[in-house]
Amino acid sequence: MTAARRPVIGISSYPRTGTPPGFAVPCGYVDAVRLAGGTPIGLPPGDPNPAHYLDLLDGLILTGGGDLDPQTYGGQPHETLYSVSKERDTFELALVRAVLERQDRPILCICRGMQVLNVACGGDLHTHIPDSVENAIYHRRERLCPSEHRATVEPASRLATILGTTDCIVRSWHHQAVRELGRSLRPVAWSEDGVIEAIEHASHAWCFAVQWHPELQLDDPTQQRLFSELVAHSANGRAPAQPR
Ligand code: MN
């Protein structure tokens, strides 16, 4: 018997930026995966057919970041859109579709990642919350400043079981949100203004998405459970390879 290998968790990178250009992975995701006992690996965009990555990984995190190109969900351009990257959109949409085609790779989708999951399943987005949600609370203070708000979790959801609560204070940093839900997606948490704050996939073995930023709340055991459950299920999925 060899010692158990730590589950390898792929973390989607931000788009190319800087001089010379680089692909960044914010530290919070890396730290959270390590705290949970996994080995983090960055996934730079650019490969149009990323399904083969799934053979190298035990689980995935789709990270936050800039806005999806509204063309990906039939939306309209808006002056507040930022950090739009076709290269990143193409990569992540293909990656999440590949995950959904298999049952054996857990995925946690965070903020932008939740929006990518919804669009990949045929849903769409509020392009700018203050324009389309009445009496919206602050989901970010300003472009570079997160906010905190309450999220109420559906008691009968799997997410409530993972978090161990139906009521939490979350760190929020977004100006877009899920509008029409994609296929097989179920809303399981909301903020006080009715914005969908979390979704889970009805048939995939382990596919959850939160609109908030658990990687910015590493001191909160409730939020860290998202990462420990992801890593635990990634280890479970590493059964002997099935003939294909
Ligand atoms: Mn929010």
Side-chain angles (χ1 to χ4, degrees), residues 27-99:
C27 301
Y29 302 101
V30 173
D31 295 342
V33 166
R34 288 203 176 116
L35 269 173
T39 297
I41 289 191
L43 303 177
D47 187 328
N49 299 303
H52 63 92
Y53 275 100
L54 302 189
D55 294 327
L56 310 173
L57 304 171
D58 300 308
L60 295 95
I61 293 175
L62 229 48
T63 57
D67 294 325
L68 279 153
D69 186 330
Q71 284 188 352
T72 59
Y73 55 90
Q76 295 298 317
H78 194 279
E79 60 185 1
T80 59
L81 295 183
Y82 70 101
S83 299
V84 173
S85 164
K86 257 190 198 326
E87 184 179 50
R88 185 179 184 189
D89 291 351
T90 302
F91 178 76
E92 292 185 351
L93 286 166
L95 190 62
V96 76
R97 286 182 181 125
V99 167

Side-chain angles (χ1 to χ4, degrees), residues 139 149 172 174 191 197 211:
H139 290 275
H149 64 65
S172 177
H174 60 110
S191 45
E197 289 282 342
Q211 184 58 69

Side-chain angles (χ1 to χ4, degrees), residues 192-214:
E192 287 158 53
D193 54 6
V195 165
I196 295 172
E197 289 282 342
I199 51 186
E200 53 188 48
H201 195 278
S203 60
H204 189 274
W206 205 96
C207 174
F208 295 91
V210 293
Q211 184 58 69
W212 64 82
H213 283 277

Side-chain angles (χ1 to χ4, degrees), residues 129-206:
I129 291 171
D131 282 5
S132 50
V133 176
E134 234 177 287
N135 300 318
I137 61 167
Y138 285 110
H139 290 275
R140 64 180 185 190
R141 281 287 153 188
E142 47 202 71
R143 192 171 163 315
L144 295 177
C145 184
S147 168
E148 285 191 346
H149 64 65
R150 168 161 278 118
T152 303
V153 184
E154 162 62 45
S157 65
R158 295 172 69 199
L159 182 68
T161 304
I162 290 174
L163 293 172
T165 183
T166 57
D167 179 28
C168 44
I169 299 297
V170 298
R171 198 148 293 172
S172 177
W173 200 351
H174 60 110
H175 77 113
Q176 302 197 318
V178 165
R179 198 176 75 104
E180 292 292 330
L181 279 162
R183 288 177 299 280
S184 303
L185 298 176
R186 174 185 178 216
V188 290
W190 298 263
S191 45
E192 287 158 53
D193 54 6
V195 165
I196 295 172
E197 289 282 342
I199 51 186
E200 53 188 48
H201 195 278
S203 60
H204 189 274
W206 205 96

